[in-house]
Amino acid sequence: MEFWIFLLSLIVLFLAFPYLRCFVKRLICFGKIRRLCRKKQYRLFGTHPLWFLGGKHSVRCDCYIETPSEVYAVKLFGLPRRLTVLILKDNGTYVIRSFMAWLPHVRFTFHSKPRRIPVYDFRYKYRDEWEIKTPHPILLIHPVSMEIRRAGQSGGEVIVGAGDTVNGMELESLSRFLGMLEDAV
């Protein structure tokens, strides 16, 4: 009986590890953003109590960062597993490509079912005094996957980098986003 409890706990730990990793990464993300906002005297507004745990399926913006001349509307999009590829398609869907290796140089590729990227509301709880500032809709991908690609209608894929615009949103990784905030006026 003890063997089965031990085996079951190992399986649960193995299955829960990516989500624990995601939770810890989001806590670190929250700390870094809050620390930078305090240092630069920016104002950070969460749109819900646990905004730093925002998911990709919720349509509401997760937080706003107000600088003297700009407002960054941030939506969090996380990928629990590091060794995956996020593929954004032109038709407004995304697919996650996973890999499984059995032998060196022999690996199998799996694709998730295509899921629609929601139309994110970057004006949720937007304040009237921000209307005179430059808005920036940011899709913050954190934790980030191994690679982000854009697939066109012809089926070809192109690697997308931080700062590129997809569906009217700027894709950003945490380090690139913090650098952007550091340089903001």
Side-chain angles (χ1 to χ4, degrees), residues 24-40:
V24 170
K25 290 270 194 180
R26 288 287 179 89
L27 284 175
I28 293 168
C29 171
F30 170 67
K32 287 182 177 183
I33 289 174
R34 190 173 65 169
R35 192 175 317 116
L36 180 71
C37 287
R38 283 184 182 163
K39 175 183 158 193
K40 299 287 278 184

Side-chain angles (χ1 to χ4, degrees), residues 27-182:
L27 284 175
I28 293 168
C29 171
F30 170 67
K32 287 182 177 183
I33 289 174
R34 190 173 65 169
R35 192 175 317 116
L36 180 71
C37 287
R38 283 184 182 163
K39 175 183 158 193
K40 299 287 278 184
Q41 297 180 348
Y42 298 157
R43 293 178 26 179
L44 174 65
F45 300 95
T47 60
H48 49 91
L50 297 174
W51 65 265
F52 59 92
L53 296 177
K56 57 185 159 243
H57 303 296
S58 170
V59 297
R60 299 180 306 183
C61 175
D62 292 314
C63 73
Y64 294 100
I65 299 172
E66 179 187 9
T67 69
S69 62
E70 300 168 322
V71 174
Y72 295 90
V74 180
K75 176 65 189 155
L76 292 165
F77 191 102
L79 296 163
R81 291 179 175 82
R82 171 89 173 122
L83 298 176
T84 58
V85 175
L86 174 64
I87 303 169
L88 304 168
K89 297 190 175 187
D90 286 343
N91 62 3
T93 61
Y94 70 93
V95 173
I96 297 174
R97 181 182 295 157
S98 303
F99 304 99
M100 183 180 355
W102 288 98
L103 299 171
H105 308 294
V106 177
R107 65 179 180 185
F108 299 99
T109 304
F110 301 97
H111 289 102
S112 69
K113 66 179 184 177
R115 295 192 176 146
R116 179 148 301 284
I117 299 173
V119 177
Y120 295 123
D121 182 11
F122 287 102
R123 296 191 59 84
Y124 176 73
K125 294 189 176 180
Y126 202 79
R127 297 185 177 189
D128 291 335
E129 62 263 20
W130 295 342
E131 293 295 335
I132 60 172
K133 297 185 178 192
T134 307
H136 293 279
I138 304 290
L139 186 64
L140 181 59
I141 301 179
H142 188 75
V144 70
S145 65
M146 178 172 61
E147 198 170 71
I148 303 169
R149 294 175 170 255
R150 176 187 280 171
Q153 298 289 351
S154 62
E157 294 179 2
V158 177
I159 295 177
V160 178
D164 289 344
T165 303
V166 174
N167 296 337
M169 304 172 286
E170 285 182 52
L171 293 179
E172 298 293 346
S173 64
L174 180 61
S175 60
R176 164 85 182 191
F177 182 60
L178 292 174
M180 180 191 314
L181 288 175
E182 189 74 42

